[in-house]
């Protein structure tokens, strides 16, 4: 719980790094063994601590520049380790496309993390950095990590225990590279699937998002940020990123919804979008990311009422706010004015990928000129340091560098098994006629479609690169085709074609169709019809009279009428990630389908937005739908 963050100044196993000498006596008095001092840095400039609270101890010694440095988060792409030391940087991130110079391997990530952490430890007060990444479905920037289904699939599992385990595994793979902060879970409530970030949300239903979002927070943070495998979670994007109106986007396509405007009354906004944040805060989430988007024309990143009064006041959030990537710059064309607006609204740390020197200089000027009160700076830094303290980053015996002993389990079969289970549970069976499913193991099966044998397509955006990409993205795992081949074993005969081929002699055909990968901005789409070439493939296969199973890979419900009609069985598989074998587990009936729609499935574009509880509700498939066998 966040209350914990404030309370856990000195459990026996944790003590402040800066006050080690003086503190040793108080720890012994409390019946604890004296902590060993770290062999390497940091060492305090002076060991005459007056307070037992490492956060207050540090705060009282920090210069304004050191405080502002803690509030600054540059991107790896721009910042050098020496600058982390020089500027007392509080955090570094790797944005979606920002990988270590030495490549994208687990080793390269770990070495990079250690290099930047050492640089932080070498600063005057030796305050460690938090390293942040978008581990939104596994530690998915890193080659070889297990990639889980995107949240839309996890919503269909309706299984908070599973979501919690997934977050634990993700955190463990992150920790194996040293990284200890994920910008996840998205607790967005996507209300219009034309939005390209729909798949990052669990559901259109606030109650389901709340339940699964809280489970993810508990999994990442292990219910206690002090746990050695805990990673800091971020509930994002506050507030109403999934409630924007088409045509209001400030990003990319001007018809889009991303970074757009939510036009709702306060009551409606609270009813739909606020609830998951309450649940995340109650689960102890340590950071929250305000949204690029606006509410009735006002940008979230500068909204004092929502950031400070509602989130920190009413909801009692005690962690810290991290701005979205260059979001502060959107508040005003004059950067200094924009900074003042956001910090005064309650922003605690700024994600300023390359503008970090300007940010630091201008914020210092603002404080000196009275444009931002010192009390606001102290509050922001206190919040950041409290989280660091709760994570053991202010301990003299803390583990600042990566724990390489965890690397043995990175991408391990055990971790892949959790993902495979998630894939099975995420599948939603929309149609099953002529007893087409489950497939017989000894059947002759023809698999068709480019998406059937493509790790990149089945993983979607935020995988290895920001937007994701089709093809062999060089990471481990199993394609859907490989899964089917393995399940059929020697009993069956599986053939494959990317496009149409003569399928005479097959007992069943599995056609895998769907969307190519995309992420924010790029995925906004005003027409969600299936690609005509893919429908034509389904049609030609159906014309053979052989039973056809369609597996749809998509980040949202699409307009599927023709393909649905032509198929004998239809499975919505969402974006399953690297463990395609989970699809085969269900197709062959080794596990029965249990997934249920966490989104309403529309009949036509003219129905959108269409959500559970709407007055006129006539969907193709309602929220909660899912067949069994
Ligand atoms: C996205 C965030 C993400 C951040 C850092 C932004 O563009 O909106 O969800 O956490 O980038 O990569």
């Amino acid at each position: 719980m966040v209350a914990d963050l404030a309370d856990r100044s000195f459990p026996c196993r944790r003590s402040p790094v800066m006050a080690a000498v003086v503190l040793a006596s108080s720890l012994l008095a409390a019946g604890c063994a004296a902590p060993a001092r770290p062999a390497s840095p940091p060492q305090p400039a002076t060991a005459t601590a007056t307070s037992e609270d490492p956060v207050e101890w540090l705060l009282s010694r920090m210069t304004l520049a050191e405080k502002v440095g803690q509030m600054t988060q540059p991107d790896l792409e721009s910042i050098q380790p020496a600058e982390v030391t020089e500027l007392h940087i509080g955090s570094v991130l790797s944005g979606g496309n920002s990988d270590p110079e030495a490549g994208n391997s687990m080793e390269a990530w770990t070495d990079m993390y250690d290099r930047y952490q050492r640089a932080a430890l070498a600063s005057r007060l030796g305050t460690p950095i938090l390293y942040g990444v978008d581990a939104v479905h596994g530690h998915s920037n890193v080659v070889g990590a297990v990639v889980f289904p995107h949240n839309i699939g996890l919503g269909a599992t309706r299984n908070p225990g599973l979501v919690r385990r997934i977050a634990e595994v993700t955190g463990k793979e992150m920790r194996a590279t040293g990284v200890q902060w994920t910008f996840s879970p998205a607790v967005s409530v996507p209300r219009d699937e034309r939005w390209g970030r729909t798949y990052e949300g669990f559901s259109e239903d606030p109650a389901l998002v709340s339940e699964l979002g809280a489970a993810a927070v508990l999994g990442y943070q292990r219910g206690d940020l002090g746990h050695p495998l805990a990673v800091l979670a971020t509930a994002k994007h506050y507030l109403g990123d999934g409630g924007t109106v088409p045509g209001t986007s400030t990003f990319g396509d001007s018809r889009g919804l991303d970074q757009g405007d939510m036009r709702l009354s306060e009551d409606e906004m609270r009813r739909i979008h606020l609830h998951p944040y309450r649940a995340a805060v109650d689960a102890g989430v340590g950071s929250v990311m305000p949204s690029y988007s606006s509410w009735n024309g006002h940008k979230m990143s500068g909204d004092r009422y929502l950031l400070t009064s509602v989130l920190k006041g009413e909801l009692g959030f005690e962690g810290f706010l991290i701005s979205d990537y260059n979001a502060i710059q959107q508040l005003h064309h004059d950067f200094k004015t924009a900074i003042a607006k956001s910090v005064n609204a309650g922003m605690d740390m700024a994600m300023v990928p390359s503008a970090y020197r300007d940010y630091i200089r201008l914020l210092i000027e603002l404080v000196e000129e009275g444009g931002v009160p010192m009390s606001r700076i102290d509050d922001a830094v206190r919040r950041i340091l409290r989280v660091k303290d709760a994570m053991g980053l202010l301990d003299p015996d803390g583990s600042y560098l990566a724990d390489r002993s965890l690397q043995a389990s990175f991408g391990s079969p055990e971790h892949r098994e959790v993902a495979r289970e998630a894939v099975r549970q995420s599948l939603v069976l929309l149609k099953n006629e002529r007893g087409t499913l489950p497939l017989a193991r000894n059947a002759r099966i023809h698999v068709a479609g480019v998406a059937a044998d493509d790790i990149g397509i089945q993983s979607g955006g935020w995988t290895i690169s920001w937007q994701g990409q089709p093809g062999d993205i060089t990471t481990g795992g199993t394609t859907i085709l490989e899964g089917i081949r393995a399940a059929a074993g020697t009993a069956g005969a599986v053939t494959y074609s990317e496009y149409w081929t003569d399928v005479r002699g097959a007992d069943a055909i599995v056609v895998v169709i769907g969307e190519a990968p995309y992420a924010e901005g790029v995925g906004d789409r005003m027409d969600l019809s299936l690609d005509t070439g893919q429908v034509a493939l389904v049609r030609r296969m159906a014309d053979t009279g052989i039973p056809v199973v369609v597996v749809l890979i998509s980040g949202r419900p699409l307009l599927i009428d023709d393909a649905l009609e032509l198929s004998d069985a239809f499975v919505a598989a969402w974006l399953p990630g690297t463990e395609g074998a989970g699809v085969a587990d269900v197709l062959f009936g080794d596990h029965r389908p249990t997934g249920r729609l966490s989104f309403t499935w529309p009949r036509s574009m003219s129905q959108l937005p269409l959500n559970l509880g709407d007055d006129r509700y006539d969907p193709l498939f309602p929220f909660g739908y899912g067949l069994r066998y």
Side-chain angles (χ1 to χ4, degrees):
M1 307 298 292
V2 168
D4 259 31
L5 301 184
D7 290 339
R8 46 196 345 273
S9 4
F10 285 132
C12 290
R13 63 200 167 83
R14 307 216 169 277
S15 59
V17 66
M18 301 314 160
V21 172
V22 172
L23 199 66
S25 53
S26 62
L27 285 174
L28 287 166
C32 304
R37 290 180 72 100
S40 47
Q43 296 296 323
T46 160
T48 51
T50 49
S51 159
E52 288 199 340
D53 183 338
V55 171
E56 297 306 323
W57 194 95
L58 265 175
L59 255 183
S60 68
R61 276 155 188 81
M62 282 179 157
T63 63
L64 176 57
E66 284 168 335
K67 290 177 182 176
V68 171
Q70 285 300 302
M71 296 170 66
T72 307
Q73 185 190 58
D75 191 300
L76 171 72
E77 219 163 51
S78 307
I79 192 154
Q80 293 301 318
E83 297 178 274
V84 172
T85 317
E86 174 205 339
L87 301 171
H88 323 285
I89 292 297
S91 174
V92 175
L93 93 142
S94 275
N97 281 334
S98 142
D99 302 321
E101 238 178 315
N104 215 2
S105 65
M106 176 187 70
E107 293 77 12
W109 273 84
T110 316
D111 293 344
M112 176 277 291
Y113 167 85
D114 277 355
R115 199 160 53 251
Y116 279 81
Q117 191 59 282
R118 282 205 178 90
L121 298 173
S123 64
R124 185 180 77 97
L125 290 168
T127 312
I129 48 164
L130 286 163
Y131 201 102
V133 298
D134 291 288
V136 299
H137 62 149
H139 194 8
S140 53
N141 289 307
V142 186
V143 166
V146 177
V147 177
F148 294 90
H150 269 297
N151 285 348
I152 192 167
L154 301 185
T157 73
R158 308 199 171 214
N159 186 339
L162 178 64
V163 169
R164 185 171 177 159
R165 267 196 293 142
I166 288 170
E168 285 175 1
V169 170
T170 301
K172 195 170 170 193
E173 297 209 348
M174 288 170 63
R175 280 286 187 160
T177 60
V179 174
Q180 73 296 63
W181 182 7
T182 177
F183 306 127
S184 172
V187 292
S188 324
V189 185
R191 303 288 281 182
D192 187 332
E193 48 263 44
R194 289 173 287 189
W195 187 40
R197 303 194 77 162
T198 296
Y199 66 78
E200 294 186 57
F202 294 108
S203 175
E204 71 188 30
D205 173 34
L208 187 54
V209 176
S210 302
E211 186 184 18
L212 299 184
V217 169
L218 289 170
Y220 287 130
Q221 299 190 169
R222 301 258 173 177
D224 172 5
L225 277 170
H227 190 289
L229 296 179
V231 294
L232 176 61
T234 308
K236 72 184 188 184
H237 310 81
Y238 181 85
L239 178 68
D241 54 345
T244 58
V245 174
T248 59
S249 170
T250 57
F251 181 87
D253 187 345
S254 61
R255 294 165 308 163
L257 301 87
D258 199 41
Q259 306 189 0
D261 193 22
M262 168 176 55
R263 295 178 181 158
L264 293 179
S265 70
E266 179 160 354
D267 281 355
E268 282 175 298
M269 176 187 72
R270 282 174 173 265
R271 184 175 61 76
I272 300 168
H273 298 283
L274 188 62
H275 200 260
Y277 288 92
R278 197 180 289 279
V281 168
D282 288 348
V285 74
S287 71
V288 170
M289 186 184 290
S291 181
Y292 285 117
S293 57
S294 307
W295 175 35
N296 296 328
H298 298 284
K299 285 267 174 199
M300 290 292 160
S301 315
D303 193 319
R304 189 177 158 78
Y305 170 65
L306 289 175
L307 302 189
T308 297
S309 308
V310 176
L311 183 60
K312 293 180 176 177
E314 189 184 320
L315 265 54
F317 172 60
E318 293 185 15
F320 68 90
L321 293 175
I322 171 73
S323 69
D324 205 342
Y325 202 91
N326 280 334
I328 289 173
Q329 284 90 327
Q330 295 186 1
L331 293 181
H332 199 277
H333 58 83
D334 171 46
F335 194 25
K336 189 166 173 178
T337 308
I339 294 169
K341 209 169 170 205
S342 78
V343 177
N344 285 333
M347 197 71 81
D348 301 305
M349 187 186 278
M351 192 184 284
V352 276
S354 57
Y356 48 94
R357 283 193 181 266
D358 285 345
Y359 180 83
I360 290 170
R361 179 176 53 81
L362 294 170
L363 184 50
I364 290 173
E365 272 178 33
L366 279 163
V367 177
E368 287 170 350
E369 293 161 2
V372 170
M374 196 60 203
S375 55
R376 180 69 269 278
I377 299 291
D378 283 340
D379 173 53
V381 179
R382 188 174 279 117
R383 285 170 176 272
I384 294 164
L385 292 179
R386 253 191 229 151
V387 168
K388 289 187 176 182
D389 182 37
M391 297 186 77
L393 287 169
L394 305 185
D395 284 3
D397 56 351
S399 48
Y400 318 113
L401 300 184
D403 177 358
R404 291 176 193 244
S405 72
L406 296 172
Q407 297 189 342
S409 66
F410 189 87
S412 65
E414 293 74 29
H415 289 181
R416 292 193 186 280
E417 189 46 46
V418 178
R420 182 169 172 170
E421 184 183 342
V423 174
R424 311 198 264 266
Q425 292 191 27
S426 70
L427 302 183
V428 180
L429 181 64
L430 296 177
K431 178 181 182 183
N432 190 20
E433 290 175 358
R434 293 209 274 165
T436 303
L437 290 177
L439 299 170
R441 203 169 295 281
N442 58 0
R444 286 161 299 173
I445 297 167
H446 185 77
V447 181
V450 177
D453 196 24
D454 194 310
I455 285 270
I457 291 178
Q458 73 191 39
S459 298
W462 300 104
T463 314
I464 304 300
S465 60
W466 176 42
Q467 293 287 333
Q469 66 209 65
D472 179 6
I473 49 175
T474 69
T475 202
T478 309
T479 67
I480 293 170
L481 173 66
E482 287 164 351
I484 291 174
R485 284 212 162 109
T490 49
V494 177
T495 52
Y496 172 63
S497 63
E498 286 189 356
Y499 304 102
W500 164 254
T501 188
D502 185 352
V503 290
R504 265 176 300 184
D507 300 315
I509 302 169
V510 178
V511 190
V512 185
I513 59 175
E515 293 187 296
Y518 54 79
E520 46 183 325
V522 178
D524 284 15
R525 214 151 282 159
M526 293 304 114
D527 182 1
L528 295 173
S529 303
L530 272 174
D531 168 70
T532 49
Q534 302 194 51
V535 179
L537 178 62
V538 176
R539 179 168 284 114
R540 290 200 72 177
M541 294 298 182
D543 284 348
T544 64
I546 301 167
V548 171
V549 181
V550 171
V551 175
L552 179 70
I553 304 293
S554 71
R556 50 193 153 186
L558 300 178
L559 300 186
I560 52 169
D561 35 4
D562 284 351
L564 181 70
E565 191 76 17
L566 292 162
S567 67
D568 296 285
F570 198 104
V571 177
W574 316 111
L575 297 168
T578 50
E579 305 317 302
V583 176
D585 289 340
V586 173
L587 294 183
F588 284 95
D590 295 335
H591 293 265
R592 58 188 200 103
T594 53
R596 296 199 289 133
L597 291 180
S598 61
F599 283 84
T600 298
W601 204 296
R603 295 177 187 280
S604 67
M605 292 310 293
S606 63
Q607 285 187 313
L608 295 181
L610 182 63
N611 293 289
L612 179 69
D614 285 358
D615 288 342
R616 278 189 302 165
Y617 191 69
D618 177 30
L620 185 61
F621 297 108
F623 178 90
Y625 187 83
L627 300 174
R628 304 275 181 270
Y629 48 73

